[in-house]
């Protein structure tokens, strides 16, 4: 056992030392005519590997059964279509005949799209983090024939990967008992991580606790550049969304200033596409200048929601422009003809020399910019920092704004409206020029959870900007999900591609779809949406909930291929399915007077309270629920023939501590019972079902709400 662990340490050490080293062009496959089994898949990422000489299999019962029958170790390689280093490892290793021969002779090789199978990714990411202390993509794990992991890491050079394959194969052939013993120990570790204990105490949710947790969060604030300290920098919409709410409800001016500074810096940085709209996944530097150029649907969906809320509070035209431009990008590049939303756009594309290069679609050369902008070039150059500050590498520039439009106009003695007109002209010129370049690839699969996030993004934009088109887009996509992603037994599919819905949904699909349907109800007052949310929640409770602690497993009770059934609890770049479900249980409990739902939400929050106090940055969406229980929270019911008119007025306000219900005609929804009047439209502001005197004017209702 000691010998095997020493070998593992040596391999991991080699990975740590050499992981960032790039190698020269490698020997490529000589026969591209014969596809492997991935040719039968729909995932764009899997299809990218369909002509590798590696005999790739997809993750399915047949592949796992084959490994057991042949008693071969399994290579589980996980990535996604927009992943830059996934492409690099394919180029260097998986498209290489000599590497492929080793993999084909001694392993069963399974390629996984992490976006299609987040359940598989979750388990093996956990394994790699236990082994190495970190993780990322590509994620490469070697397992026993039954799927229990024995080795893992992220990107490896061809030389590293070849050595790992040969060493692991040799150890398994000669000392299998030691490999098996290590796998047993590691698997036990995987099963014991992320366990959620039942909290037996009756938690008293206090405002003072939230204040203390915000102080802890402050320790990691980057007050200069925004976001969190260090690099790389991820926007982390959940963090900023919670802090925006906290600062607004508590009149915390310093926190609010930090949030707005973060939003300004993100929108001004290279992480935002100033020409085509939309955000890249993260910035590699602390000032948001150099992005990792892939664009993900989930980032853009959540950031649209965040900037929409910021615009509601401030009326800042910059935030409005970010929302509008990002949604134009979504409509132009990530919307299918059926009304679904595609998953992502690659970081890499072909440059003018015919080479595949990261960011080549987005970067600019100085001479190129001069020829396009022409007469206003000096002003343009100053605005977008086509100088040492905006330089990336060599003669490559990433547009980067460091001053507000108002400050810039004063500094350069130009009228603010004239400046904005010029900015619009510059963007149009560069956009038209950029359309001649070769676009990065689009991952055109449609994922239920990410589409639901985009529905919520459109609804937030509709609330703050009042553009009816945004509501139409949200309804269209919601109908797309109902028509295509709901199974015959009332569950959800996870993925849709080429007219085919596949893969049983995960808790994230239910969580975000339920939340989106509740959001949709709150802007339409159409009972259909809240009733659909309630039905999905009922299904989710039946097939995903742990009866002991009331938390939700990531996979349903019908999934049996994984070595461990996990929970998704911590909020990350996407809010955790459990935190989203808990918030929705809280709201549905109000709509249906369902005390069991509300008590379940309270139990879930109690379960994670101790962990949230220790590390609040991993639980910021949970903290929104904590504020619902600890701060004033209101049910706002609008009932009568002019409900939708009054609703639109209320929705234009930033009111994070209310649940909205209403109807223009009689409704069977319990929260609306005995509140309908066919002659007049009344607004009821209630707490725990106890209502203040009804009013007819929105302004009077707002006075009854204490944010």
């Amino acid at each position: 056992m000691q010998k095997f662990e020493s070998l593992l340490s040596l391999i991991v050490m080699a990975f740590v030392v050499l992981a960032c080293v790039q190698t020269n062009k490698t020997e490529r496959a000589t026969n591209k005519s014969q596809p492997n089994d991935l040719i039968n898949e729909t995932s764009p990422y899997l299809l990218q590997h369909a002509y590798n000489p590696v005999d790739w299999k997809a993750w399915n019962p047949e592949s796992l059964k084959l490994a057991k029958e042949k008693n071969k170790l399994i290579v589980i390689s996980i990535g996604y279509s927009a992943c830059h280093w996934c492409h690099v490892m394919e180029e260097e290793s998986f498209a290489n005949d000599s590497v492929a021969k080793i993999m084909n002779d001694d392993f069963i090789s399974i390629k996984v799209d992490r976006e299609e199978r987040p359940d598989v990714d979750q388990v093996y990411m956990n394994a790699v983090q236990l082994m190495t202390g970190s993780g990322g993509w590509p994620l490469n794990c070697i397992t026993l024939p039954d799927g229990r992991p024995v080795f893992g890491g992220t990107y490896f050079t061809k030389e590293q990967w070849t050595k790992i394959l040969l060493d692991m194969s040799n150890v398994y052939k000669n000392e299998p008992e030691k490999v098996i013993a290590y796998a047993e120990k590691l698997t036990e570790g995987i099963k014991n991580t992320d366990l959620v204990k039942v909290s037996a105490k009756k938690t008293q949710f206090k405002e003072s606790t939230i204040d203390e947790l915000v102080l802890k969060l402050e320790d990691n604030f980057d007050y200069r550049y925004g976001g969190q300290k260090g690099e790389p920098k991820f926007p982390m919409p959940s963090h900023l969304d919670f802090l925006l709410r906290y600062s607004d409800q508590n009149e915390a001016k310093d926190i609010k200033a930090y949030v707005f500074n973060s939003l300004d810096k993100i929108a001004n940085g290279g992480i935002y596409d100033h020409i085509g709209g939309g955000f890249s996944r993260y910035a590699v530097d602390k000032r948001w200048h150099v992005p990792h150029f892939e664009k993900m649907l989930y980032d853009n969906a959540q950031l649209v929601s965040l900037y929409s809320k910021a615009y509601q509070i401030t009326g800042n035209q910059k935030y409005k422009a970010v929302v509008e431009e990002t949604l134009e990008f979504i409509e132009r590049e990530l919307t299918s003809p059926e009304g679904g939303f595609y998953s992502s756009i690659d970081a890499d594309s072909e440059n003018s020399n015919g080479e595949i290069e990261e960011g080549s679609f987005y970067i600019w050369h100085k001479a190129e910019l001069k020829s396009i902008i022409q007469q206003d070039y000096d002003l343009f150059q100053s605005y977008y920092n086509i100088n040492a500050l905006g330089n990336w590498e060599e003669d490559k520039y990433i547009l980067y704004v460091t001053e507000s439009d108002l400050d810039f106009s004063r500094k350069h003695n130009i009228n603010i409206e004239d400046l904005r007109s010029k900015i619009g002209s510059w963007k149009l010129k560069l956009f038209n020029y950029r359309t001649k370049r070769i676009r990065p690839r689009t991952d055109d699969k449609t994922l239920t959870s990410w589409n639901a996030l985009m529905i919520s993004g459109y609804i937030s934009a509709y609330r703050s900007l009042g553009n009816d088109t945004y509501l139409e887009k949200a309804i269209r996509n919601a109908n797309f999900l109902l028509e295509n992603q709901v199974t015959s037994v009332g569950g959800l599919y996870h993925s849709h591609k080429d007219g085919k819905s596949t893969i049983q949904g995960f808790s994230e699909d239910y969580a975000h779809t339920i939340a989106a349907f509740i959001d949709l109800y709150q802007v339409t007052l159409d009972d259909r949406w809240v009733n659909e949310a309630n039905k999905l929640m009922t299904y989710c409770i039946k097939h995903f909930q742990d009866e002991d602690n009331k938390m939700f497993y990531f996979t349903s009770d019908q999934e049996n291929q994984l070595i461990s059934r996990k929970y998704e609890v911590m909020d990350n770049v996407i809010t955790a399915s459990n935190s989203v479900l808990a918030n929705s249980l809280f709201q549905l409990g109000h709509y249906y007077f369902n005390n069991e739902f509300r008590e379940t939400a309270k139990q879930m929050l109690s379960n994670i309270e101790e962990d949230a106090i220790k590390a609040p940055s991993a639980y910021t969406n949970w903290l929104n629920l904590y504020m619902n229980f600890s701060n004033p929270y209101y049910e706002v019911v609008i009932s009568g023939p002019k409900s939708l008119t009054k609703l639109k007025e209320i929705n234009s306000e930033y009111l994070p501590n209310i649940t909205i219900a209403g109807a223009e005609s009689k409704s069977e929804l319990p929260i609306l019972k005995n509140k309908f009047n066919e002659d007049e439209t009344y607004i009821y502001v209630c707490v725990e079902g106890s209502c203040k005197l009804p009013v007819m004017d929105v302004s009077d209702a707002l006075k009854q709400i204490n944010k």
Side-chain angles (χ1 to χ4, degrees):
M1 186 67 179
Q2 186 176 3
K3 181 180 177 182
F4 174 70
E5 290 186 334
S6 297
L7 170 63
L8 182 69
S9 298
L10 284 171
I11 297 173
V12 171
M13 184 62 71
F15 160 66
V16 171
V17 173
L18 298 173
C20 295
V21 176
Q22 295 196 43
T23 58
N24 294 326
K25 286 193 174 181
T26 58
E27 168 197 357
R28 297 302 306 272
T30 55
N31 181 5
K32 295 289 249 180
S33 62
Q34 294 299 317
N36 54 49
D37 286 0
L38 299 184
I39 197 68
N40 299 313
E41 299 300 310
T42 58
S43 158
Y45 176 67
L46 298 186
L47 289 171
Q48 287 169 20
H49 293 77
Y51 284 91
N52 290 168
V54 176
D55 187 17
W56 290 116
K57 311 291 183 186
W59 177 275
N60 54 46
E62 293 75 24
S63 300
L64 301 173
K65 181 181 178 184
L66 181 65
K68 290 180 181 179
E69 289 174 350
K70 292 184 175 291
N71 192 30
K72 285 187 174 184
L73 294 174
I74 303 174
V75 169
I76 298 175
S77 182
I78 305 173
Y80 57 101
S81 180
C83 169
H84 170 71
W85 288 104
C86 299
H87 303 328
V88 174
M89 192 162 177
E90 179 196 13
E91 173 86 12
E92 294 178 340
S93 295
F94 303 144
N96 181 280
D97 285 328
S98 61
V99 175
K101 186 176 189 310
I102 301 170
M103 294 176 69
N104 295 342
D105 288 347
D106 297 331
F107 299 85
I108 298 298
S109 299
I110 297 178
K111 178 56 79 170
V112 176
D113 181 340
R114 69 167 293 260
E115 296 168 356
E116 270 199 341
R117 298 304 307 242
D119 56 333
V120 179
D121 177 65
Q122 194 179 70
V123 169
Y124 293 105
M125 178 64 76
N126 193 183
V128 168
Q129 288 171 335
L130 284 173
M131 285 185 275
T132 69
S134 62
W137 299 278
L139 188 73
N140 293 288
C141 213
I142 296 176
T143 79
L144 294 176
D146 60 8
R148 288 180 293 172
V150 294
F151 175 81
T154 55
Y155 163 77
F156 298 99
T157 65
K158 177 195 167 189
E159 289 73 18
Q160 290 171 321
W161 186 237
T162 301
K163 176 174 172 51
I164 290 164
L165 293 171
L166 292 172
D167 287 347
M168 291 302 303
S169 177
N170 183 57
V171 173
Y172 186 62
K173 288 175 183 176
N174 296 315
E175 299 178 284
E177 68 284 352
K178 293 185 177 179
V179 181
I180 292 168
Y182 181 79
E184 289 174 349
K185 185 167 69 172
L186 182 58
T187 301
E188 189 64 26
I190 294 169
K191 290 179 178 179
N192 288 332
T193 57
D194 302 328
L195 293 178
V196 180
K197 295 179 182 178
V198 181
S199 174
K201 66 178 182 178
K202 289 193 174 182
T203 304
Q204 296 296 317
F205 301 112
K206 302 175 183 177
E207 289 184 57
S208 59
T209 301
I210 288 287
D211 295 336
E212 292 166 8
L213 296 182
V214 169
L215 283 174
K216 279 190 176 183
L217 288 171
E218 275 193 89
D219 290 340
N220 203 35
F221 287 1
D222 183 341
Y223 276 103
R224 180 177 180 184
Y225 293 110
Q228 295 177 298
K229 292 176 182 176
E231 53 189 58
K233 280 200 168 185
F234 291 81
M236 303 302 290
S238 174
H239 289 55
L240 295 174
D241 181 76
F242 163 69
L243 292 167
L244 184 66
R245 173 182 177 176
Y246 173 85
S247 66
D248 193 67
Q249 285 189 228
N250 293 277
E251 298 183 357
K253 294 180 180 178
D254 288 348
I255 302 296
K256 187 175 284 189
Y258 160 77
V259 173
F260 292 147
N261 181 54
S262 297
L263 294 179
D264 291 342
K265 291 293 194 291
I266 293 169
N268 287 338
I271 191 174
Y272 182 67
D273 182 357
H274 295 274
I275 304 308
F279 295 86
S280 295
R281 185 163 165 250
Y282 63 89
V284 303
D285 62 304
K286 65 183 179 182
R287 56 191 176 97
W288 306 100
H289 175 222
V290 180
H292 188 43
F293 292 91
E294 63 200 43
K295 287 181 175 179
M296 315 300 294
L297 179 67
Y298 61 78
D299 285 319
N300 285 279
Q302 293 176 101
L303 287 167
V304 162
S305 290
L306 181 59
Y307 278 91
S308 295
K309 294 172 186 177
Y311 176 69
Q312 280 181 304
I313 295 171
T314 64
N316 186 326
Q317 291 299 307
K318 177 76 171 183
Y319 299 158
K320 180 182 180 182
V322 166
V323 171
E324 291 175 335
E325 290 172 359
T326 300
L327 291 178
E328 286 171 9
F329 153 71
I330 295 294
E331 173 67 15
R332 185 179 66 246
E333 300 190 41
L334 287 179
T335 302
S336 75
E338 300 84 7
F341 301 116
Y342 298 142
S343 296
S344 64
I345 296 176
D346 211 327
D348 303 350
S349 59
E350 190 176 319
N351 63 22
S352 57
N353 297 321
E355 300 168 335
I356 301 299
E357 181 183 30
E358 183 181 9
S360 65
F361 185 73
Y362 302 100
I363 58 96
W364 300 94
H365 302 285
K366 188 174 287 190
E368 186 178 40
L369 290 170
K370 282 183 177 179
S371 68
I372 299 167
I373 302 300
Q374 296 181 354
Q375 63 184 21
D376 284 327
Y377 179 74
D378 288 343
L379 193 65
F380 169 88
Q381 176 180 246
S382 181
Y383 184 81
Y384 283 115
N385 286 286
I386 310 305
N387 50 36
L389 191 64
N391 181 252
W392 176 23
E393 55 185 26
E394 301 172 344
D395 181 34
K396 296 176 183 176
Y397 292 86
I398 298 170
L399 303 187
Y400 181 51
V401 178
T402 52
E403 293 179 278
S404 71
D405 288 355
L406 186 59
D407 288 343
F408 187 88
S409 67
R410 289 170 176 167
K411 180 178 178 180
H412 291 269
N413 195 28
I414 181 174
N415 179 277
I416 183 70
E417 295 305 323
D418 289 343
L419 173 64
R420 286 175 176 160
S421 176
K422 287 182 181 295
I423 292 169
S425 174
W426 297 336
K427 287 184 175 185
L428 182 60
K429 287 179 179 180
L430 292 176
F431 180 84
N432 290 334
Y433 182 90
R434 203 172 73 176
T435 59
K436 300 170 186 175
R437 294 176 175 174
I438 298 173
R439 280 189 76 256
R441 289 178 296 196
T442 300
D443 185 327
D444 60 352
K445 67 176 178 292
T446 297
L447 300 176
T448 300
S449 54
W450 297 5
N451 272 241
L453 286 169
M454 196 67 246
I455 291 173
S456 294
Y458 267 112
I459 291 169
S460 293
Y462 168 70
R463 285 174 184 261
S464 63
L465 275 64
N467 187 332
D468 291 340
T469 302
Y470 296 156
L471 178 58
E472 292 166 9
K473 301 288 185 188
I475 292 173
R476 185 184 183 210
N477 185 254
N479 283 322
F480 170 86
L481 294 183
L482 287 179
E483 292 164 9
N484 294 280
Q485 299 302 89
V486 177
T487 70
S488 59
V489 294
L492 289 171
Y493 288 111
H494 176 63
S495 184
H496 182 87
K497 175 81 162 57
D498 298 335
K500 183 180 179 183
S501 297
T502 57
I503 305 171
Q504 291 299 310
F506 306 107
S507 63
E508 68 173 30
D509 297 301
Y510 292 85
H512 296 300
T513 302
I514 290 166
F517 285 177
I518 292 173
D519 286 344
L520 199 48
Y521 168 72
Q522 294 195 2
V523 293
T524 63
L525 303 184
D526 184 344
D527 288 4
R528 173 195 185 198
W529 298 115
V530 71
N531 288 333
E532 289 291 348
N534 193 49
K535 285 192 288 185
L536 287 173
M537 183 64 81
T538 302
Y539 183 95
C540 195
I541 290 170
K542 180 178 180 181
H543 293 286
F544 288 81
Q545 193 173 53
D546 183 331
E547 292 183 5
D548 293 331
N549 61 20
K550 300 303 181 183
M551 308 299 280
F552 292 83
Y553 289 110
F554 193 72
T555 53
S556 79
D557 54 7
Q558 298 164 327
E559 170 61 61
N560 58 12
Q561 295 178 29
L562 296 169
I563 61 172
S564 178
R565 201 175 177 202
K566 311 291 288 180
Y567 308 104
E568 185 184 56
V569 175
M570 291 188 287
D571 298 315
N572 205 302
V573 290
I574 301 179
T575 47
S577 52
N578 268 283
S579 73
V580 178
L581 285 165
N583 275 281
S584 291
L585 282 164
F586 177 83
Q587 287 188 291
L588 291 171
H590 283 277
Y591 286 129
Y592 291 94
F593 291 162
N594 187 328
N595 194 53
E596 185 178 346
F597 276 9
R598 294 170 66 185
E599 287 302 312
T600 298
K602 190 177 289 186
Q603 180 65 59
M604 294 170 73
L605 183 58
S606 296
N607 291 343
I608 61 90
E609 185 186 28
E610 285 187 15
D611 290 332
I613 290 171
K614 292 175 186 174
S617 64
Y619 297 90
T620 46
N621 192 47
W622 288 101
L623 297 184
N624 276 315
L625 181 60
Y626 200 108
M627 286 191 72
N628 291 348
F629 282 117
S630 62
N631 290 62
Y633 193 88
Y634 302 93
E635 303 138 16
V636 177
V637 177
I638 314 166
S639 189
K642 296 182 179 178
S643 291
L644 284 172
T645 301
K646 295 182 186 295
L647 172 69
K648 196 165 186 178
E649 191 176 345
I650 290 175
N651 274 331
S652 67
E653 301 285 334
Y654 178 68
L655 299 167
N657 60 328
I658 68 171
T659 287
I660 295 178
E664 289 190 308
S665 58
K666 198 166 185 180
S667 168
E668 298 301 316
L669 200 63
I671 195 174
L672 296 172
K673 189 176 181 181
N674 299 325
K675 291 186 175 71
F676 180 71
N677 185 314
E678 62 183 17
D679 297 320
E680 299 288 351
T681 300
Y682 288 103
I683 306 171
Y684 301 80
V685 176
C686 315
V687 177
E688 302 287 342
S690 177
C691 301
K692 301 179 182 182
L693 287 175
V695 296
M696 298 178 67
D697 292 335
V698 170
S699 59
D700 291 331
L702 293 175
K703 290 174 185 175
Q704 295 180 347
I705 298 170
N706 174 20
K707 288 200 288 187

